[in-house]
Amino acid sequence: MAVRWAVLGLLAACVASATKESVLNMCMDAKHHKTKPGPEGALHGQCAPWKDNACCTAETSKGAHQDQSYLYNFNWNHCGVMPDKCKQHFIQDTCLYECSPNLGPWIDQVRGRWGWVDNSWRRERILNVPLCKEDCDLWWEACKDAVTCRENWHKGWNWTSGTNRCPRGSICQPFKYVFPRPADLCEKIWSNSYKYTTEHRGGGRCIQMWFDPANGNPNVAVAKYYAQNGRDASPAPWELSGTETSQFV
Ligand SMILES: *[C@@H]1O[C@H](CO)[C@@H](O)[C@H](O)[C@H]1NC(C)=O
């Protein structure tokens, strides 16, 4: 019995590792992403750290820095002007989303209507990307006094004017009330695209929104780790015993 499980586990592990390698160094199938990652010498501003290997074009990287850019027509200033120190984090979040070739382990097929006005262009999304504690905490700290009317920015806007406006009856409030803890911000704002972690930058177990490219892209090793160990880094079914297995089947 034990031998049979071991053989089955080995087989499953081989198949799994072959398919999991393919999620490394790839671009998701979404509106602005390139089909394959590659060098982009002229990436703009905060997106420059990805210039050696990126899923975004120079044009997309410029759009990431503009208010209400052609990228998504999204209006950061829906409850008054968003302070620059806060906007920087949303720009960095956009750079990571558009440029990173290391989000493969967290790419999910989009089922049905999901984001924005019409997401027909968006066949894939990211789900539960383990964001480094520092990236989430600093984002929250910089934005705690910025103001918004929505907790989930993917849904519930009034788009009749062509850009997102607060729907009638909603209230503009500081982020610190809408998102009491950093985890609320990072997880809820983009419908669980990110997962809050207590992992630290440089530890190889969390994705960094901000990094110094002089030392290479730290997210390469992180993607590899989660591709090999499962994106939730949970044990594989054959590594568990007894009844625990059933929840994974
Ligand atoms: C949406 O905005 C339009 C004006 O652009 C307004 O007439 C309409 O009442 C708004 N609807 C909601 C639900 O906020």
Side-chain angles (χ1 to χ4, degrees):
M1 190 62 182
V3 174
R4 224 169 67 189
W5 277 108
V7 171
L8 198 67
L10 197 67
L11 254 172
C14 289
V15 173
S17 96
T19 50
K20 282 169 182 175
E21 289 301 309
S22 70
V23 303
L24 300 177
N25 195 39
M26 65 170 293
C27 299
M28 82 183 92
D29 182 5
K31 192 178 183 184
H32 303 291
H33 287 69
K34 290 158 53 179
T35 52
K36 279 184 192 155
E40 288 290 336
L43 292 189
H44 186 73
Q46 292 177 221
C47 297
W50 283 275
K51 67 180 167 30
D52 289 344
N53 194 30
C55 287
C56 59
T57 60
E59 194 59 26
T60 301
S61 71
K62 247 183 246 158
H65 292 72
Q66 290 158 4
D67 282 357
Q68 232 162 294
S69 78
Y70 76 98
L71 296 179
Y72 336 102
N73 283 318
F74 196 87
N75 174 24
W76 307 118
N77 308 319
H78 50 264
C79 283
V81 178
M82 178 185 277
D84 278 341
K85 67 172 183 180
C86 172
K87 197 175 293 170
Q88 278 180 11
H89 289 264
F90 282 93
I91 292 169
Q92 201 65 25
D93 159 58
T94 307
C95 289
L96 176 71
Y97 173 77
E98 293 291 347
C99 303
S100 178
N102 312 118
L103 301 176
W106 302 279
I107 290 175
D108 243 45
Q109 305 297 313
V110 175
R111 290 176 207 87
R113 187 183 162 82
W114 177 70
W116 310 111
V117 202
D118 173 359
N119 70 331
S120 56
W121 45 264
R122 185 173 176 148
R123 286 180 285 274
E124 291 177 338
R125 63 162 296 188
I126 44 171
L127 186 65
N128 295 330
V129 172
L131 195 61
C132 293
K133 179 176 166 41
E134 293 88 345
D135 288 82
C136 184
D137 289 351
L138 291 169
W139 186 2
W140 186 86
E141 189 61 37
C143 293
K144 63 181 197 282
D145 299 317
V147 181
T148 186
C149 56
R150 307 276 324 148
E151 182 184 64
N152 183 334
W153 287 16
H154 274 144
K155 293 183 192 162
W157 298 103
N158 183 345
W159 284 95
T160 55
S161 65
T163 187
N164 55 305
R165 294 241 170 92
C166 295
R168 217 177 10 202
S170 63
I171 306 161
C172 289
Q173 297 186 90
F175 272 46
K176 62 191 169 202
Y177 301 131
V178 179
F179 308 107
R181 302 161 307 152
D184 296 313
L185 171 64
C186 304
E187 296 184 351
K188 291 173 180 173
I189 198 161
W190 300 128
S191 338
N192 299 104
S193 291
Y194 296 120
K195 188 175 71 180
Y196 183 80
T197 74
T198 51
E199 301 288 343
H200 294 284
R201 286 178 180 170
R205 296 290 181 269
C206 59
I207 292 290
Q208 292 182 215
M209 226 158 72
W210 299 85
F211 62 88
D212 179 355
N215 310 314
N217 180 341
N219 298 329
V220 173
V222 179
K224 198 166 182 185
Y225 172 80
Y226 285 97
Q228 284 164 357
N229 297 282
R231 71 179 182 185
D232 300 317
S234 53
W238 53 87
E239 290 167 340
L240 296 171
S241 58
T243 54
E244 278 175 288
T245 306
S246 62
Q247 68 180 296
F248 290 94
V249 177

